[in-house]
Amino acid sequence: MKITDLEKRIGTFRLQIDHLDIEPGRIHGIIGPNGCGKTVLLKTIAGIYKPDQGRIDYEGVTSREITMMSQRPYLMDTTVYKNLIYPLQIRKIRPEEERADELLEKAGLLAQKKQYARSLSSGERQKLSFLRAVIFRPRIILIDETFSNLDPESEALFTEMIREIQKKDPITWVIVSHQMEAVHQLCEVVHHMEKGRVVEK
């Protein structure tokens, strides 16, 4: 994915990305101080915000192959299982219950499969949100500060699953986090932002 001359204004804030190359199949981290535009950039890549000008070349990746995890995951008022398979259903992909169960078991959520998702703890909600992001095998996953609210066990689980995915069938990850150590340990490329711009470090 190549971003060129991108500009997005929100109130008095201005995102201005002259050039950013997100190499496919790698884990990218985006770090920077609060208010520097990390979330605005992710939401613009995800298509939630429309650029005021500039270009994002997705290099053949469609919007249906991109997903974004936010700091506070949205869960529908239905069961854990139905929340998990929702991305498959809207893409007309037949759910494989065996694979869904494998993912739930790996995250320690299989016993809650028929439980209402909104009754889960905050940590369990983040786990379900992560599983929902990966179940339809997207080509780009955008993660906005999700790691910042995880307990050590969940963070280790996410990291392990990301590395497993990258070994089998690499996809593109763009991870925004304030946890510098975690970003540098997991991410292959780290981009620094300041005042709405990507800067070299």
Side-chain angles (χ1 to χ4, degrees), residues 137-148:
R137 297 184 172 94
R139 293 175 64 187
I140 297 176
I141 296 183
L142 311 168
I143 298 180
D144 186 18
E145 292 290 0
T146 300
F147 283 10
S148 300

Side-chain angles (χ1 to χ4, degrees), residues 65-99:
E65 298 171 303
I66 301 174
T67 191
M68 180 173 172
M69 287 180 62
S70 60
Q71 197 168 1
R72 296 180 180 175
Y74 171 79
L75 296 177
M76 298 177 294
D77 191 19
T78 184
T79 65
V80 166
Y81 177 71
K82 288 185 177 178
N83 268 273
L84 176 58
I85 65 171
Y86 178 70
L88 298 171
Q89 292 178 321
I90 62 173
R91 290 169 175 82
K92 311 296 184 187
I93 301 171
R94 186 169 175 267
E96 298 174 14
E97 190 164 0
E98 183 178 348
R99 180 166 185 264

Side-chain angles (χ1 to χ4, degrees), residues 23 25 47 55 93 109-110 120 168 175 197:
E23 190 178 346
R55 184 166 184 260
I93 301 171
L109 293 175
L110 187 56
L120 296 175
K168 293 177 183 177
I175 301 173
R197 292 177 175 269

